[in-house]
Amino acid sequence: MRAAVLVTGGAGFVGSHACKALAAAGFLPVTYDNLSQGHRWAVRWGPLEIGDIEDRDRLQQVMDRYRPAAVMHFAALIAAGESVAEPAKYYRNNVSRFLVLLDAMRRQKIDQIVFSSTAAVYGTPESTPIDEKHPLAPINPYGMSKLIGERILQDCAAAHGLRSISLRYFNAAGSDPDGEIGESHAPETHLIPIVLEAAAGDRPHVAVFGTDYPTADGTCVRDYVHVTDLASAHVLALARLKSAHGAEAFNLGNGNGFTVREVITAAERVSGTKIAVKQEPRRAGDPPVLVADASRARAELGWQPAYSDLNVQIGNAWRWTQGWSRRQAVGR
Ligand code: UDP
């Protein structure tokens, strides 16, 4: 029998790719998702249990049914800009509801968790690239909600031996190279899918948030990491949790930064279209530059990103977007 892993948010972007990787590694990924952001079509490698992580009874029921040995926790709100305007929403979802999940795990004696964290825990970097020793000073409620999550995991490790690995993603990008799943948020707030919507003619232009940052072309620099590489890091983290104790954190990024304008140019190349751009003011809560030093994940998890090329990432996402539009057009 395959060992079950409870994947909260398994119907979402990174969660669904992690389910695919878990299944390939011989696990049964059990998706627990309220489908508020996730999609039924993204759950293809194990059962879908619809439920909210604030629903103790439902969580208990699902844990009783599948007896997972570990949890991967993706169910969270992720838009840094929105979190500045709606902080309570972020603390409620990413902290209060997370505590309900941790309580349920403890009752069920599940002592292993891989936690989706973010580069936003670092805030505006003092030095770049950022390694895990860099000071933790989030500049938006999203980053702070994830930092609190990491801190809770450390305290639970000390108090009752919870084992955890927090994976600090830089900018998740791309989509399944086999084209089985991909990114779809409503409303979309992330740069690459927005740029590709513009390339496909589904939006008139791309708004560039801030052109006066202290970077090569004045726009923000981000380190884009392929979602399939994020997924493989989760499986490696799960393997490490068998023997690791305490609470650890690893950066996941490629160590290469690209400006917003460079992403747009790459998307123009990939799609063969000209993308209209509108300069807009800075978006609240955005640090100018975020680039990872992920040597720790490489050395200690054995992580080897396979899709670090931005053109490949955008190419996968573009193929997904094009296929998606075709499926919509024929009503499937
Ligand atoms: N961005 C932009 N226009 C958009 C969406 C995003 O200029 O329509 C910028 C955003 O300000 C940031 C970068 O693109 O500098 C990446 O933003 P995204 O929301 O994709 O990820 P984040 O860095 O917030 O996790």
Side-chain angles (χ1 to χ4, degrees):
M1 212 176 69
R2 291 189 289 165
V5 176
L6 188 74
V7 184
T8 74
F13 178 41
V14 187
S16 59
H17 287 76
C19 286
K20 180 169 179 171
L22 280 168
F27 294 95
L28 175 70
V30 177
T31 290
Y32 186 82
D33 201 301
N34 64 8
L35 299 182
S36 63
Q37 316 267 327
H39 308 280
R40 213 177 269 276
W41 52 255
V43 183
R44 303 178 56 153
W45 292 277
L48 167 62
E49 294 287 350
I50 297 173
D52 201 299
I53 53 165
E54 70 184 339
D55 185 342
R56 284 163 200 276
D57 295 342
R58 180 77 181 118
L59 261 178
Q60 190 84 45
Q61 200 181 46
V62 172
M63 288 176 172
D64 276 339
R65 177 160 179 202
Y66 296 97
R67 305 255 158 217
V71 171
M72 285 189 183
H73 179 48
F74 297 95
L77 296 178
I78 57 164
E82 183 195 42
S83 78
V84 177
E86 299 279 356
K89 187 172 160 186
Y90 275 69
Y91 290 114
R92 192 172 305 113
N93 266 279
N94 297 358
V95 180
S96 308
R97 292 179 181 163
F98 178 45
L99 288 170
V100 177
L101 173 68
L102 290 176
D103 280 347
M105 286 176 62
R106 197 168 171 210
R107 269 199 307 276
Q108 208 71 21
K109 300 194 170 32
I110 302 170
D111 67 351
Q112 298 170 43
I113 180 166
V114 183
F115 178 67
S116 292
S117 190
T118 168
V121 297
Y122 296 112
T124 301
E126 290 174 5
S127 54
T128 192
I130 303 171
D131 68 14
E132 291 84 355
K133 291 192 226 69
H134 185 282
L136 301 167
I139 60 165
N140 55 57
Y142 166 60
M144 183 55 88
S145 72
K146 288 291 182 176
L147 182 56
I148 294 171
E150 288 195 18
R151 179 60 206 241
I152 291 169
L153 290 171
Q154 282 172 14
D155 292 344
C156 290
H160 48 84
L162 181 66
R163 294 189 244 169
S164 66
I165 292 182
S166 295
L167 296 175
R168 295 176 181 159
Y169 317 157
F170 281 64
N171 285 61
S175 68
D176 174 34
D178 304 329
E180 294 186 291
I181 41 176
E183 186 163 17
S184 174
H185 294 111
E188 189 53 74
T189 63
H190 293 109
L191 180 65
I192 292 178
I194 283 178
V195 168
L196 294 180
E197 281 175 18
D202 294 335
R203 57 170 81 217
H205 63 264
V206 175
V208 174
F209 299 139
T211 51
D212 59 348
Y213 285 100
T215 60
D217 63 20
T219 64
C220 285
V221 171
R222 294 289 182 272
D223 181 342
Y224 294 89
V225 51
H226 198 287
V227 64
T228 296
D229 289 331
L230 293 180
S232 71
H234 285 74
V235 176
L236 292 167
L238 189 64
R240 183 177 173 90
L241 281 177
K242 279 204 171 127
S243 53
H245 291 274
E248 296 182 295
F250 295 93
N251 287 344
L252 298 178
N254 289 302
N256 293 321
F258 296 94
T259 66
V260 171
R261 288 193 203 281
E262 285 171 335
V263 168
I264 295 170
T265 306
E268 287 184 328
R269 231 176 6 246
V270 166
S271 64
T273 59
K274 181 89 193 114
I275 297 168
V277 161
K278 208 169 144 199
Q279 298 190 9
E280 293 205 3
R282 293 181 177 197
R283 188 176 69 177
D286 270 345
V289 179
L290 286 174
V291 177
D293 176 344
S295 17
R296 198 168 164 230
R298 288 170 184 269
E300 295 186 32
L301 294 178
W303 185 54
Q304 291 181 322
Y307 306 98
S308 54
D309 184 330
L310 182 69
N311 293 305
V312 172
Q313 296 170 0
I314 294 179
N316 288 162
W318 175 242
R319 273 196 301 285
W320 165 257
T321 309
Q322 293 296 91
W324 178 246
S325 311
R326 277 198 301 279
R327 283 192 293 279
Q328 295 286 82
V330 295
R332 274 190 287 138

